[in-house]
Amino acid sequence: MRHPLRVLLLSLACSTALAAQAQTAPARIDVPAGDLATALNTLARQSGTQLVYRADELKGRRTGGVQGAASAEQALEQLLRGSGFTTRRDPATGAVLVVRQAGATPPAPAPRAIPAASGGSAAAEPVTEIDAVQVTGSRIPRAQIEGPAPITVITAEQIQAQGFTSVPDVLRAMTQNGGETQSQQSASGADFSPGAQQVDLRGLGPNHTLVLVNGRRIADFPMPFKGRSNFTDVSNIPIGMIERIEVLTGSASAIYGSDAISGVVNFILKKRADGVTVDVRMGTTTEGGGESFDASLVSGFERGRFSGVYSLDLQSQTPLWAYERDIQDSTRDGPTEGSRIARRAYLRTDWWDDYIDPGEDTCAGLSGQNGGSTYHAYRPRYGYYCGSDTSIGYGTILSERRGANAYASLSYLFDNGSEWFADLQAGYHTVELFRDVTAWSYMAPDGNEEGYFFNQATDQVEYWQRQFSPEEIGGLNRNMIETTQKTLGLTTGFKGSFAADWDYEASLSWSQYKAEISWPQILAARANALFLGEQLGEDDDGFPIFDADPARLYTPLTRAEYDGIAARSVYHPQSETGTLALTVAQSELFALPGGAAGFAATVELGHQSYELNPDPLATQYHYYSWKDSDGHGSRNRWAAAGELRMPLHDTLNLSVAGRYDQYRYSGNSIGKATWSAGLEWRPVDSLLVRGSYGTAFRAPDLHYVYAGIGNDETSGNDYYYCLLDEADDCSDYEEGLIRTRAGNRDLEPETSTSWTAGFVWSPLEGLDLSADWFDIDMRDQVQDMSVDAILRDEAACRLGELDIASPTCVDALARVTRSSNDTLYGIYVNPVNVARETTRGIDATARYRFDTGIGRFTASLNHTWVESHDFQQFDGDPVEDQFAINSGFDIPRTKTGISLGWEKSAWSATVYGQRLGRLPNGWSYDQMWEEGDPGPWIAATWRYNASVQYRFDDHSRLSLAVVNLTNEKPPYDPTYTAYPYYDVSWFDSVGRQVNLQYTHKFGGSAL
């Protein structure tokens, strides 16, 4: 398709026109007379408006109802008329707060029904109790925004004002999201989970953050994070469909699931639409490349008791290539002389790793390769080779993405007040990214990648290495990693009331994630034959013998020759999760001094499964430097939970919750009870003092349990020869290793305790302050066995320090393999329950809203400071401070977000800043730096976004957003000698991005 953006725009325009034509007049809102709280709940259900109020304040208040209101705002005004209450909108959550008017009188008699349109008459329908708005953190209907555990709410308006264009960008800016995850440039992500992105609350790993959509679990990405653990992909959640994001970073395990160790991220999608809203956004970068297009359509309908909202989101992102940015388009961008040498496109060495000079004429014959950049290059202390400076810049910084998401939320109200509901989501995305060009060196049939062979043609042991140029491949686009993602989710059920004052919800939710992932590969045996010919046996030292003409190494391949050794390895992974749940709730279970106690109980039956479905050849030694593992398995779960909220006094509330989960898989049955408690104290209306405590447990990830045997590459110190030589520094004995890994079906669950303590204070009108201390202690964390510990045991056993017949020695010696010359080659590991990880710190926020003669201003500050983050691999090991020099961890101690917004009449503008605290550099790992050097840290960095918005009228607006306003690049790090010379987990070189967005609403109330 030559013009995808044009086609998408045309399709959107046609869809908009048809939807607008089909749209009927807005449905009238009718609310019966009676209890005010009941009336507000009915209005919230009919209109989709989030209403928040204190139930105790509304006791005894009645309303005359409303008939035929054209909008929720009009209906709300009439319901509250004469009640002593008014409304204001909370800018942090988007909720409408029902608050007492200054000088309000005690409950007044119910006013007469006021018709909103002529010809109306009072409705005679019975009053039906409807659930109040539910806020993440509790299943009990609650009349307050803040509870015992801190909740961060990010509204759709904030997302747009702060310039974010994707869900990963929104979550990455959260100060509580402190973990090192995979970016679109991540080599690990390209190898294991291309196209997926994660959220990592508190830096405890993406698998410990529970991600929900509309309060329901969704299927994991079907490939494991870094080849290890399961996680939820947030990259294809459509940003245009989000009403708000609620993030609970306190204890939530007893409510949402025992596995919510570090917190919950709950995406609330739009549930109400009057009219048709169309959003179109186009973006580009000021330095070129990375153009994007997004369009969404949201609409709804009401046909009597049947209503719904539906939306469609289209997305298109063109790739941004590394060679399009000066900071990383060449090896000459490296920070040191050693890192600036040309890349080794063609390399031949002897047994001692000295380079065998191909000669200037040979390299001149290759000068047309890699875009004409190949030349006779030199590496100090090694020698000459044919290399290229610019062939390093072939990766993508931003992936190419094309996709569509569809979503519908439907409901039907029955005569008895019960309701049928259903949410349906479907997504289809294609993602293409480029990690690097394919390459080859000799790989033996048994998978040995040392690469040395005896060359009969030159009578010496040699090593050959070859990278394939774009000219040989047929263009970079032929070797993209290609991913097709298909997501499908369905939730349906019934809710209503029984026994007069009990509410219930019975639901079935199911989610599936299917993918097809295709990696470009080199067929090892065919490439061996092409470059080396047939093997002629082995020499006395065990090296394979070939009669290989070096000219073959330095001859560019034809397209046919390359296609003869190239292939694609295609996987078809999929995952599913399903839950059958029944919840009952009673908002007035029994009376207490502070009001009625609320109760909720839930029972759940769940099933989870995954299948990697790899290319069968990928699990053998078939592709060069690629032997993967299979993995598939499932488990069943049942759970029962209860929650009790008790107002002990007008100013004091206590919440307690308990839960029992049991998992069954492969003959194992793992069950555990968890509980939580929270306390809220309001000594005055403007101050909330709160605290929470909870326990959690998490069954091991499916891939930790069911992973098949596979290989990856790592390194380790050869302690045997280090101690044999009585060396002072064993790091000089570091060797590359092939790590073989398999799952462990005998893993125990992970456990944790968590507590928070803090306050929310509103000392002035428009000013809100909060601070919360958090502390999480996770035990029995699943980690792979330590390579270093195994190598230490192996050395002690071989040197006689441990009994060679002991179980420790038998196990260690069986896990380590050595080459024919006794050098380290491979190691075998399993995941085990070993680690303990703890983190504690403070989250602080401040928001201030004030009016001036030039408009209304809103300022906000979010800040997270981590006091400590410690890790212990094994019992008895030293506790590692993850912020210490040479800790090997790469997380910031602080993250900050600031925002300043302004609005006046039709105009509004926002400036948003993100601060990332200092990070370790290479000197931190080496513990070596000189006087005058910057030291072992990368200084804290700032990035700014800005947006301006103009409303043409109540139904149309235009927004201009600039991401990275000052065009900041990754900070210069003189120690980061590996390409692209900066930490891709935290930085990128995209630069300034400009996005223009137009929003128009056909019919309905104002935007």
Side-chain angles (χ1 to χ4, degrees):
M1 188 178 294
R2 297 182 58 188
H3 303 289
L5 297 186
R6 195 174 301 170
V7 172
L8 287 174
L9 280 170
L10 181 59
S11 301
L12 180 69
C14 293
S15 300
T16 302
L18 291 172
Q21 184 177 8
Q23 186 71 23
T24 59
R28 300 177 357 144
I29 296 176
D30 296 317
V31 179
D35 178 72
L36 178 57
T38 300
L40 292 176
N41 289 342
T42 303
L43 174 61
R45 178 59 53 82
Q46 287 188 18
S47 67
T49 304
Q50 184 183 13
L51 299 176
V52 181
Y53 56 86
R54 293 193 60 170
D56 55 337
E57 290 186 343
L58 297 186
K59 281 187 176 180
R61 306 278 177 168
R62 300 190 57 82
T63 178
V66 64
Q67 300 172 21
S71 67
E73 292 80 5
Q74 183 185 32
L76 186 58
E77 179 185 355
Q78 293 176 7
L79 288 176
L80 295 177
R81 189 171 298 171
S83 68
F85 286 82
T86 187
T87 63
R88 65 180 175 87
R89 184 173 293 275
D90 182 72
T93 64
V96 176
L97 310 184
V98 179
V99 296
R100 190 188 300 272
Q101 289 178 332
T105 60
R112 180 177 54 89
I114 304 173
S118 61
S121 60
E125 295 179 10
V127 174
T128 303
E129 281 289 336
I130 306 294
D131 289 343
V133 174
Q134 186 172 297
V135 179
T136 297
S138 174
R139 295 186 185 276
I140 296 174
R142 290 172 32 187
Q144 301 173 40
I145 293 177
E146 295 289 352
I151 297 175
T152 299
V153 180
I154 308 167
T155 65
E157 291 77 10
Q158 289 173 311
I159 292 172
Q160 182 176 358
Q162 293 171 2
F164 299 117
T165 58
S166 72
V167 168
D169 288 342
V170 176
L171 299 182
R172 193 176 297 114
M174 283 185 50
T175 63
Q176 299 93 336
N177 186 13
E180 183 183 13
T181 55
Q182 295 169 339
S183 73
Q184 297 181 65
Q185 294 187 81
S186 168
S188 174
D191 283 345
F192 296 111
S193 51
Q197 293 181 264
Q198 313 84 25
V199 57
D200 184 3
L201 296 178
R202 304 303 186 201
L204 295 174
N207 56 330
H208 297 112
T209 297
L210 179 59
V211 176
L212 307 173
V213 174
N214 288 336
R216 317 287 180 179
R217 293 172 183 264
I218 59 176
D220 290 331
F221 187 76
M223 296 289 287
F225 179 68
K226 296 184 178 180
R228 301 291 188 269
S229 59
N230 300 109
F231 72 97
T232 303
D233 177 22
V234 297
S235 67
N236 57 16
I237 295 175
I239 197 167
M241 298 183 193
I242 293 174
E243 179 73 26
R244 66 187 185 276
I245 305 171
E246 297 176 348
V247 183
L248 176 63
T249 53
S251 174
S253 61
I255 300 164
Y256 284 104
S258 60
D259 51 345
I261 287 179
S262 59
V264 178
V265 178
N266 190 9
F267 295 92
I268 309 298
L269 304 185
K270 290 180 169 66
K271 287 282 191 179
R272 177 75 183 176
D274 58 335
V276 179
T277 302
V278 177
D279 260 307
V280 178
R281 177 174 56 80
M282 301 188 72
T284 188
T285 62
T286 57
E287 295 186 41
E291 292 80 12
S292 64
F293 170 83
D294 287 87
S296 67
L297 180 150
V298 180
S299 186
F301 65 89
E302 289 202 23
R303 301 290 184 269
R305 296 181 179 275
F306 184 45
S307 63
V309 59
Y310 57 88
S311 58
L312 176 66
D313 184 89
L314 305 177
Q315 182 182 35
S316 175
Q317 171 73 60
T318 61
L320 176 64
W321 293 85
Y323 59 73
E324 296 183 276
R325 291 295 180 263
D326 292 342
I327 194 174
Q328 62 183 92
D329 64 348
S330 168
T331 58
R332 297 186 184 278
D333 299 318
T336 63
E337 184 177 350
S339 64
R340 288 193 285 267
I341 65 170
R343 197 178 195 198
R344 294 164 292 184
Y346 305 82
L347 178 65
R348 181 169 160 244
T349 80
D350 60 21
W351 166 246
W352 294 275
D353 291 333
D354 293 324
Y355 294 179
I356 300 173
D357 189 354
E360 289 189 39
D361 291 343
T362 298
C363 295
L366 298 168
S367 61
Q369 300 296 297
N370 295 303
S373 65
T374 305
Y375 67 99
H376 191 226
Y378 178 75
R379 183 182 182 188
R381 299 188 302 278
Y382 286 89
Y384 287 93
Y385 60 99
C386 298
S388 165
D389 299 327
T390 58
S391 66
I392 197 74
Y394 290 145
T396 49
I397 301 171
L398 295 179
S399 305
E400 177 180 293
R401 180 182 285 266
R402 302 283 188 270
N405 277 287
Y407 168 71
S409 180
L410 309 172
S411 69
Y412 183 84
L413 289 170
F414 295 96
D415 291 339
N416 62 0
S418 61
E419 177 186 357
W420 168 81
F421 61 90
D423 292 342
L424 179 65
Q425 176 274 327
Y428 181 90
H429 292 81
T430 60
V431 181
E432 295 188 10
L433 58 101
F434 199 99
R435 178 189 172 189
D436 202 352
V437 291
T438 46
W440 168 85
S441 64
Y442 172 68
M443 187 177 85
D446 65 356
N448 189 307
E449 296 181 31
E450 291 181 323
Y452 295 101
F453 63 92
F454 181 81
N455 193 347
Q456 189 169 278
T458 60
D459 197 33
Q460 65 178 344
V461 174
E462 295 184 356
Y463 170 87
W464 290 12
Q465 177 184 301
R466 180 75 151 72
Q467 292 176 340
F468 300 106
S469 67
E471 292 80 5
E472 294 171 303
I473 294 170
L476 297 180
N477 287 331
R478 293 191 73 227
N479 265 18
M480 300 282 268
I481 299 172
E482 300 171 352
T483 302
T484 299
Q485 304 169 347
K486 300 176 183 177
T487 58
L488 185 63
L490 171 66
T491 297
T492 186
F494 295 88
K495 56 185 173 182
S497 301
F498 69 96
D501 53 3
W502 282 84
D503 298 326
Y504 76 90
E505 178 183 286
S507 65
L508 171 65
S509 59
W510 173 83
S511 177
Q512 181 186 73
Y513 199 132
K514 285 187 173 182
E516 179 180 282
I517 308 176
S518 172
W519 286 273
Q521 304 286 7
I522 294 298
L523 301 169
R526 290 190 187 180
N528 291 347
L530 177 65
F531 291 106
L532 304 178
E534 293 185 11
Q535 184 173 338
L536 304 177
E538 291 185 357
D539 68 4
D540 294 339
D541 295 320
F543 292 107
I545 301 172
F546 293 95
D547 186 9
D549 181 358
R552 171 72 275 190
L553 178 68
Y554 298 103
T555 302
L557 302 186
T558 65
R559 170 72 72 81
E561 286 176 321
Y562 179 78
D563 289 346
I565 64 171
R568 280 194 168 269
S569 183
V570 182
Y571 291 38
H572 296 88
Q574 67 176 49
S575 66
E576 290 185 5
T577 185
T579 303
L580 181 65
L582 172 65
T583 299
V584 295
Q586 163 64 275
S587 59
E588 297 184 2
L589 187 64
F590 54 84
L592 285 171
F599 172 76
T602 299
V603 290
E604 297 176 356
L605 294 175
H607 178 77
Q608 183 182 10
S609 66
Y610 89 115
E611 297 179 77
L612 294 188
N613 292 324
D615 172 2
L617 296 175
T619 61
Q620 308 170 30
Y621 294 110
H622 184 74
Y623 301 114
Y624 168 69
S625 194
W626 185 281
K627 183 179 184 292
D628 207 350
S629 64
D630 195 357
H632 57 87
S634 65
R635 64 186 176 201
N636 296 317
R637 173 182 64 89
W638 72 267
E643 181 187 6
L644 187 62
R645 179 175 173 84
M646 297 176 287
L648 304 178
H649 185 268
D650 289 342
T651 63
L652 188 65
N653 278 295
L654 173 65
S655 301
V656 294
R659 183 181 183 94
Y660 185 85
D661 290 77
Q662 186 177 84
Y663 292 83
R664 296 174 182 244
Y665 58 93
S666 296
N668 295 314
S669 179
I670 297 176
K672 189 174 179 63
T674 56
W675 67 279
S676 65
L679 194 65
E680 306 162 65
W681 178 46
R682 289 180 171 81
V684 294
D685 288 342
S686 61
L687 177 64
L688 165 65
V689 181
R690 62 188 177 187
S692 68
Y693 177 83
T695 64
F697 98 105
R698 189 173 190 279
D701 284 329
L702 287 175
H703 195 64
Y704 275 135
V705 176
Y706 291 111
I709 295 177
N711 290 348
D712 64 5
E713 298 177 2
T714 186
S715 62
N717 297 330
D718 190 342
Y719 291 106
Y720 172 66
Y721 278 106
C722 173
L723 296 175
L724 200 64
D725 296 342
E726 298 181 351
D728 294 329
D729 187 1
C730 285
S731 65
D732 294 335
Y733 289 76
E734 185 177 29
E735 299 284 349
L737 289 168
I738 301 297
R739 175 169 47 192
T740 302
R741 179 182 182 275
N744 181 357
R745 301 196 180 193
D746 296 323
L747 290 170
E748 294 295 324
E750 302 170 321
T751 61
S752 74
T753 58
S754 170
W755 64 272
T756 66
F759 68 88
V760 181
W761 185 35
S762 303
L764 301 173
E765 177 68 26
L767 176 62
D768 299 305
L769 306 171
S770 72
D772 290 277
W773 174 265
F774 64 87
D775 185 301
I776 301 174
D777 186 349
M778 183 162 53
R779 307 289 184 99
D780 296 321
Q781 186 179 4
V782 177
Q783 292 278 330
D784 280 353
M785 298 180 71
S786 167
V787 169
D788 189 76
I790 294 172
L791 292 176
R792 288 180 184 275
D793 285 343
E794 188 242 9
C797 296
R798 296 186 69 182
L799 293 171
E801 297 175 7
L802 294 175
D803 182 1
I804 200 165
S806 67
T808 297
C809 286
V810 170
D811 182 71
L813 294 173
R815 291 182 180 276
V816 177
T817 57
R818 292 178 176 268
S819 301
S820 56
N821 60 359
D822 210 31
T823 59
L824 282 176
Y825 175 72
I827 192 165
Y828 180 83
V829 300
N830 294 109
V832 290
N833 293 96
V834 291
R836 177 182 181 184
E837 191 165 2
T838 63
T839 183
R840 60 186 63 88
I842 293 176
D843 297 322
T845 67
R847 282 190 293 269
Y848 186 42
R849 301 171 297 280
F850 56 96
D851 293 313
T852 71
I854 59 173
R856 164 169 285 193
F857 288 86
T858 303
S860 67
L861 167 71
N862 296 277
H863 180 74
T864 294
W865 171 73
V866 184
E867 187 269 334
S868 65
H869 195 135
D870 296 334
F871 179 82
Q872 185 181 38
Q873 179 75 30
F874 290 94
D875 285 338
D877 284 355
V879 175
E880 302 174 73
D881 177 1
Q882 294 196 13
F883 297 118
I885 293 173
N886 199 33
S887 71
F889 294 93
D890 189 17
I891 58 174
R893 187 184 290 275
T894 61
K895 286 184 73 176
T896 308
I898 60 171
S899 178
L900 178 62
W902 164 84
E903 58 180 311
K904 182 176 175 61
S905 301
W907 290 92
S908 62
T910 301
V911 176
Y912 174 76
Q914 303 175 49
R915 181 186 184 273
L916 180 68
R918 72 180 190 181
L919 294 167
N921 61 19
W923 284 324
S924 173
Y925 301 127
D926 298 338
Q927 299 190 68
M928 295 175 59
W929 62 95
E930 299 175 0
E931 189 68 29
D933 286 337
W937 307 105
I938 301 169
T941 55
W942 280 93
R943 297 289 184 273
Y944 297 95
N945 299 346
S947 70
V948 61
Q949 184 179 107
Y950 178 74
R951 291 179 176 268
F952 296 100
D953 51 44
D954 286 345
H955 284 69
S956 60
R957 64 177 178 235
L958 184 67
S959 304
L960 176 67
V962 182
V963 179
N964 193 358
L965 181 66
T966 55
N967 200 28
E968 298 294 329
K969 296 298 172 61
Y972 176 72
D973 182 357
T975 72
Y976 210 105
T977 57
Y979 184 81
Y981 318 120
Y982 60 84
D983 188 345
V984 298
S985 296
W986 298 106
F987 307 106
D988 63 55
S989 60
V990 174
R992 185 187 296 112
Q993 298 171 271
V994 180
N995 299 284
L996 186 65
Q997 181 172 346
Y998 177 70
T999 305
H1000 192 90
K1001 189 172 184 181
F1002 299 88
S1005 58
L1007 277 171

PDB file of all heavy atoms in Angstrom, residues 733-746:
ATOM      1  N   TYR A 733      40.093 -13.342  34.666  1.00  0.00           N
ATOM      2  CA  TYR A 733      39.853 -14.690  34.166  1.00  0.00           C
ATOM      3  C   TYR A 733      38.414 -14.836  33.646  1.00  0.00           C
ATOM      4  O   TYR A 733      37.880 -15.933  33.591  1.00  0.00           O
ATOM      5  CB  TYR A 733      40.123 -15.715  35.270  1.00  0.00           C
ATOM      6  CG  TYR A 733      41.584 -15.867  35.604  1.00  0.00           C
ATOM      7  CD1 TYR A 733      42.247 -14.902  36.360  1.00  0.00           C
ATOM      8  CD2 TYR A 733      42.314 -16.964  35.149  1.00  0.00           C
ATOM      9  CE1 TYR A 733      43.591 -15.026  36.664  1.00  0.00           C
ATOM     10  CE2 TYR A 733      43.663 -17.101  35.451  1.00  0.00           C
ATOM     11  CZ  TYR A 733      44.300 -16.119  36.212  1.00  0.00           C
ATOM     12  OH  TYR A 733      45.643 -16.254  36.500  1.00  0.00           O
ATOM     13  N   GLU A 734      37.820 -13.718  33.265  1.00  0.00           N
ATOM     14  CA  GLU A 734      36.447 -13.753  32.753  1.00  0.00           C
ATOM     15  C   GLU A 734      36.406 -14.437  31.386  1.00  0.00           C
ATOM     16  O   GLU A 734      37.234 -14.171  30.523  1.00  0.00           O
ATOM     17  CB  GLU A 734      35.871 -12.342  32.647  1.00  0.00           C
ATOM     18  CG  GLU A 734      34.403 -12.323  32.245  1.00  0.00           C
ATOM     19  CD  GLU A 734      33.830 -10.916  32.206  1.00  0.00           C
ATOM     20  OE1 GLU A 734      34.600  -9.975  31.935  1.00  0.00           O
ATOM     21  OE2 GLU A 734      32.633 -10.766  32.433  1.00  0.00           O
ATOM     22  N   GLU A 735      35.426 -15.306  31.193  1.00  0.00           N
ATOM     23  CA  GLU A 735      35.269 -16.045  29.943  1.00  0.00           C
ATOM     24  C   GLU A 735      33.813 -15.946  29.483  1.00  0.00           C
ATOM     25  O   GLU A 735      32.884 -15.883  30.296  1.00  0.00           O
ATOM     26  CB  GLU A 735      35.622 -17.529  30.147  1.00  0.00           C
ATOM     27  CG  GLU A 735      37.052 -17.794  30.588  1.00  0.00           C
ATOM     28  CD  GLU A 735      38.058 -17.640  29.459  1.00  0.00           C
ATOM     29  OE1 GLU A 735      37.611 -17.536  28.296  1.00  0.00           O
ATOM     30  OE2 GLU A 735      39.266 -17.624  29.738  1.00  0.00           O
ATOM     31  N   GLY A 736      33.611 -15.951  28.164  1.00  0.00           N
ATOM     32  CA  GLY A 736      32.272 -16.054  27.623  1.00  0.00           C
ATOM     33  C   GLY A 736      31.716 -17.452  27.844  1.00  0.00           C
ATOM     34  O   GLY A 736      32.452 -18.445  27.806  1.00  0.00           O
ATOM     35  N   LEU A 737      30.411 -17.530  28.080  1.00  0.00           N
ATOM     36  CA  LEU A 737      29.769 -18.804  28.394  1.00  0.00           C
ATOM     37  C   LEU A 737      28.482 -18.975  27.601  1.00  0.00           C
ATOM     38  O   LEU A 737      27.764 -18.000  27.334  1.00  0.00           O
ATOM     39  CB  LEU A 737      29.423 -18.886  29.885  1.00  0.00           C
ATOM     40  CG  LEU A 737      30.563 -19.042  30.891  1.00  0.00           C
ATOM     41  CD1 LEU A 737      30.040 -18.802  32.301  1.00  0.00           C
ATOM     42  CD2 LEU A 737      31.166 -20.429  30.787  1.00  0.00           C
ATOM     43  N   ILE A 738      28.199 -20.221  27.208  1.00  0.00           N
ATOM     44  CA  ILE A 738      26.887 -20.573  26.702  1.00  0.00           C
ATOM     45  C   ILE A 738      26.076 -21.072  27.892  1.00  0.00           C
ATOM     46  O   ILE A 738      26.407 -22.086  28.504  1.00  0.00           O
ATOM     47  CB  ILE A 738      26.975 -21.667  25.617  1.00  0.00           C
ATOM     48  CG1 ILE A 738      27.838 -21.186  24.449  1.00  0.00           C
ATOM     49  CG2 ILE A 738      25.571 -22.052  25.145  1.00  0.00           C
ATOM     50  CD1 ILE A 738      27.290 -19.974  23.725  1.00  0.00           C
ATOM     51  N   ARG A 739      25.030 -20.320  28.231  1.00  0.00           N
ATOM     52  CA  ARG A 739      24.210 -20.689  29.385  1.00  0.00           C
ATOM     53  C   ARG A 739      23.011 -21.495  28.890  1.00  0.00           C
ATOM     54  O   ARG A 739      22.233 -21.023  28.063  1.00  0.00           O
ATOM     55  CB  ARG A 739      23.747 -19.447  30.129  1.00  0.00           C
ATOM     56  CG  ARG A 739      22.796 -19.727  31.279  1.00  0.00           C
ATOM     57  CD  ARG A 739      22.570 -18.503  32.142  1.00  0.00           C
ATOM     58  NE  ARG A 739      22.279 -17.310  31.355  1.00  0.00           N
ATOM     59  CZ  ARG A 739      22.261 -16.067  31.842  1.00  0.00           C
ATOM     60  NH1 ARG A 739      22.551 -15.867  33.116  1.00  0.00           N
ATOM     61  NH2 ARG A 739      21.983 -15.036  31.057  1.00  0.00           N
ATOM     62  N   THR A 740      22.882 -22.710  29.382  1.00  0.00           N
ATOM     63  CA  THR A 740      21.737 -23.562  29.072  1.00  0.00           C
ATOM     64  C   THR A 740      20.769 -23.494  30.243  1.00  0.00           C
ATOM     65  O   THR A 740      21.171 -23.562  31.399  1.00  0.00           O
ATOM     66  CB  THR A 740      22.183 -25.011  28.838  1.00  0.00           C
ATOM     67  OG1 THR A 740      23.143 -25.039  27.774  1.00  0.00           O
ATOM     68  CG2 THR A 740      21.005 -25.886  28.460  1.00  0.00           C
ATOM     69  N   ARG A 741      19.486 -23.371  29.923  1.00  0.00           N
ATOM     70  CA  ARG A 741      18.497 -23.098  30.957  1.00  0.00           C
ATOM     71  C   ARG A 741      17.240 -23.901  30.704  1.00  0.00           C
ATOM     72  O   ARG A 741      16.851 -24.134  29.563  1.00  0.00           O
ATOM     73  CB  ARG A 741      18.165 -21.605  30.965  1.00  0.00           C
ATOM     74  CG  ARG A 741      17.129 -21.166  31.974  1.00  0.00           C
ATOM     75  CD  ARG A 741      16.868 -19.674  31.825  1.00  0.00           C
ATOM     76  NE  ARG A 741      15.911 -19.197  32.810  1.00  0.00           N
ATOM     77  CZ  ARG A 741      14.590 -19.258  32.653  1.00  0.00           C
ATOM     78  NH1 ARG A 741      14.086 -19.764  31.537  1.00  0.00           N
ATOM     79  NH2 ARG A 741      13.783 -18.803  33.587  1.00  0.00           N
ATOM     80  N   ALA A 742      16.565 -24.327  31.783  1.00  0.00           N
ATOM     81  CA  ALA A 742      15.270 -25.000  31.696  1.00  0.00           C
ATOM     82  C   ALA A 742      14.434 -24.609  32.898  1.00  0.00           C
ATOM     83  O   ALA A 742      14.955 -24.131  33.913  1.00  0.00           O
ATOM     84  CB  ALA A 742      15.448 -26.516  31.628  1.00  0.00           C
ATOM     85  N   GLY A 743      13.119 -24.808  32.811  1.00  0.00           N
ATOM     86  CA  GLY A 743      12.216 -24.452  33.896  1.00  0.00           C
ATOM     87  C   GLY A 743      12.308 -25.399  35.069  1.00  0.00           C
ATOM     88  O   GLY A 743      13.013 -26.416  35.038  1.00  0.00           O
ATOM     89  N   ASN A 744      11.580 -25.061  36.122  1.00  0.00           N
ATOM     90  CA  ASN A 744      11.613 -25.829  37.362  1.00  0.00           C
ATOM     91  C   ASN A 744      10.182 -25.978  37.879  1.00  0.00           C
ATOM     92  O   ASN A 744       9.558 -24.995  38.287  1.00  0.00           O
ATOM     93  CB  ASN A 744      12.492 -25.113  38.388  1.00  0.00           C
ATOM     94  CG  ASN A 744      12.611 -25.855  39.698  1.00  0.00           C
ATOM     95  OD1 ASN A 744      12.000 -26.899  39.903  1.00  0.00           O
ATOM     96  ND2 ASN A 744      13.407 -25.321  40.608  1.00  0.00           N
ATOM     97  N   ARG A 745       9.666 -27.199  37.869  1.00  0.00           N
ATOM     98  CA  ARG A 745       8.278 -27.432  38.274  1.00  0.00           C
ATOM     99  C   ARG A 745       8.106 -27.555  39.781  1.00  0.00           C
ATOM    100  O   ARG A 745       6.996 -27.761  40.262  1.00  0.00           O
ATOM    101  CB  ARG A 745       7.737 -28.679  37.569  1.00  0.00           C
ATOM    102  CG  ARG A 745       7.785 -28.547  36.060  1.00  0.00           C
ATOM    103  CD  ARG A 745       6.942 -29.542  35.331  1.00  0.00           C
ATOM    104  NE  ARG A 745       7.050 -29.345  33.888  1.00  0.00           N
ATOM    105  CZ  ARG A 745       6.257 -29.900  32.989  1.00  0.00           C
ATOM    106  NH1 ARG A 745       5.294 -30.690  33.387  1.00  0.00           N
ATOM    107  NH2 ARG A 745       6.425 -29.675  31.695  1.00  0.00           N
ATOM    108  N   ASP A 746       9.203 -27.437  40.511  1.00  0.00           N
ATOM    109  CA  ASP A 746       9.129 -27.546  41.970  1.00  0.00           C
ATOM    110  C   ASP A 746       9.298 -26.197  42.660  1.00  0.00           C
ATOM    111  O   ASP A 746       9.602 -26.136  43.853  1.00  0.00           O
ATOM    112  CB  ASP A 746      10.201 -28.513  42.472  1.00  0.00           C
ATOM    113  CG  ASP A 746       9.979 -29.926  41.975  1.00  0.00           C
ATOM    114  OD1 ASP A 746       8.812 -30.335  41.892  1.00  0.00           O
ATOM    115  OD2 ASP A 746      10.969 -30.613  41.650  1.00  0.00           O
TER     116      ASP A 746
END
